Amino acid sequence: MKKTGSSSLLATVVGMVLLTSCSVGKGSMVMAQTAVTTGTGTLVIPPSPGDLSTVEHLKQSDEYVVEVKRSGDTNYKTCFVYKSDNSFVNTYFGASTAKPGPKRPQASAAFTNFSFAETAVDVRIVSKIPVSSVKIRPLNLGIDFKQSGNVITFSMATPKKLSVEINDRINPLFLFADTPDTPNPQATYYYGPGVHNIGLNKLLNTNESVYIAGGAVVEGSFRLATGSTNVSIKGRGVLSMGEWPHTSTSVEFLTNHSTIRSSATANMVLEGFIIAHSTGWTIAIDNRDNKSHDNQYRNLKLVCWNGNSDGIWFDGDNNVVDDCFIFNNDDIVTTHGSNKCKISNIVAWGGPWGRLFMHTDWHSSSNLTFENIDMIGKDGGPELVLVEGNRSNPVKLDNFTFKNIRVEAHPKTSDYNTNKFVRIGVNPEKYAVTLTNWLFENITLDDKNSDEGDIYGTTEGPVNDLTFKNLKMAGKPVSSLQEANMNTNEYVRKLTFE
């Protein structure tokens, strides 16, 4: 499992090309980030990371070639396409490494990124797999593509995060189109194109910064000092943990193997980079002593397979999660207690434990907004929205809004993976959660299961006011509890459909 190889660079802009000199293992090389800039707009293509032979579970794709150009230009430019393989071994619920349990069906996922502004771009994908069918998600974007043999072409007027699925959903290709960023060579830790192994839990202190340039693959994880402020991790490169296998579900293991971990952190910014193969929790920032606040999670891209790969914990107050793509095994976003937070413009594909949102029983929360979310896939899982509470520590959840959420598929896969829409307080002997003023507005589920939810209150934890407004399932509007295929009890004091 041990790796060698590191990189360092001094970036110099020369005309339209950013030349980067770095060392990777033995020898050196020059990498070019293509930046085409004229009066007709900018297109930036990150360079190749170089030799990935020492990087586990990440290599150059042998299935897809991706080329882009500004609309109106003649020549395409080639993007480096990564391939991330499904290396997760499921040892849950009595399974073992000798007889592993089921895991998500995808064998691999390829991904690439590029940036553009003030221009439209044309994309050309050449599949080395014979193409019989193509889907480009989110479906609601209505991407108008053309297929000629094994070549797929389409245009984008603005940056988007897409899943291109050829023939089936087993080997998707993710396209991460960004707006151009501003590199920060003055960052406390600057990682240029090439492979860097930083080990586990590299410590970041108050006012320190990390920049992961496009074409960089950083192996390892970061731990932000408890109580730190003004820490940033930005860039267009990849942060990978493929070196460290998922071997335990213990809190100690998951804490030590989180990709980015901290407590009581404020004014943190995570922006732009890609996380591949998180070993434990992916981004786990908890709210110890109520000191986590004003943290930003923007334009992050997660491609993770392991069992406990929660996407983003947004614990604390006044936090923002925006414009992220999350392909993982466990919950997409989670909080253990938050106030005045917004989660918006998300593209998500959950695995067997991949709920869209889970609220645990640590602390109460208020004024949370979830808006403009495309759930493009869900490979198992008991429900999309889960709320837990504990009679010994009752929580209150006030003023939650779920708005403009589209679920492309959430099929029931087993008696356990029922894939309900919502589950609240299903064990009255254990849970005590008081819900007040919850709104689900403009929610569309493309399919519909025979059981889509349990909404149960208790004497200590009633449901005071929950409204479904413009709910659609399987193409039809839903105007009653019976039509929604949901269950409730006498402690739900006000539940309405509009």
Side-chain angles (χ1 to χ4, degrees), residues 181-325:
D181 72 334
T182 302
N184 180 19
Q186 303 305 316
T188 311
Y189 301 99
Y190 183 84
Y191 302 102
V195 177
H196 314 252
N197 193 306
I198 62 173
L200 291 176
N201 296 311
K202 183 175 181 63
L203 180 64
L204 299 178
N205 294 301
T206 290
N207 296 325
E208 290 191 330
S209 58
V210 174
Y211 187 81
I212 304 173
V217 175
V218 176
E219 295 183 279
S221 63
F222 291 100
R223 179 174 65 85
L224 282 59
T226 299
S228 57
T229 60
N230 300 313
V231 175
S232 69
I233 306 175
K234 299 181 180 182
R236 293 293 188 265
V238 179
L239 178 60
S240 176
M241 290 191 70
E243 177 178 352
W244 295 272
H246 177 276
T247 59
S248 173
T249 61
S250 72
V251 171
E252 180 181 10
F253 177 86
L254 297 175
T255 299
N256 290 334
H257 290 80
S258 295
T259 309
I260 300 173
R261 171 71 174 154
S262 187
S263 294
T265 288
N267 299 105
M268 173 194 71
V269 178
L270 306 180
E271 189 273 326
F273 56 95
I274 301 164
I275 296 178
H277 289 286
S278 60
T279 301
W281 300 314
T282 308
I283 302 174
I285 312 297
D286 67 51
N287 188 25
R288 184 179 300 178
D289 301 323
N290 294 317
K291 292 182 178 179
S292 291
H293 61 84
D294 295 285
N295 294 320
Q296 299 182 48
Y297 310 81
R298 297 185 182 275
N299 189 25
L300 300 171
K301 286 80 71 171
L302 280 56
V303 182
C304 303
W305 303 94
N306 284 322
N308 298 99
S309 54
D310 286 7
I312 297 173
W313 295 9
F314 61 94
D315 294 14
D317 299 343
N318 302 306
N319 300 321
V320 174
V321 181
D322 185 64
D323 190 26
C324 296
F325 181 100

Side-chain angles (χ1 to χ4, degrees), residues 15-18 33-37 42-45:
M16 302 303 176
V17 179
L18 180 66
Q33 173 173 289
T34 304
V36 182
T37 306
T42 300
L43 171 62
V44 180
I45 301 172

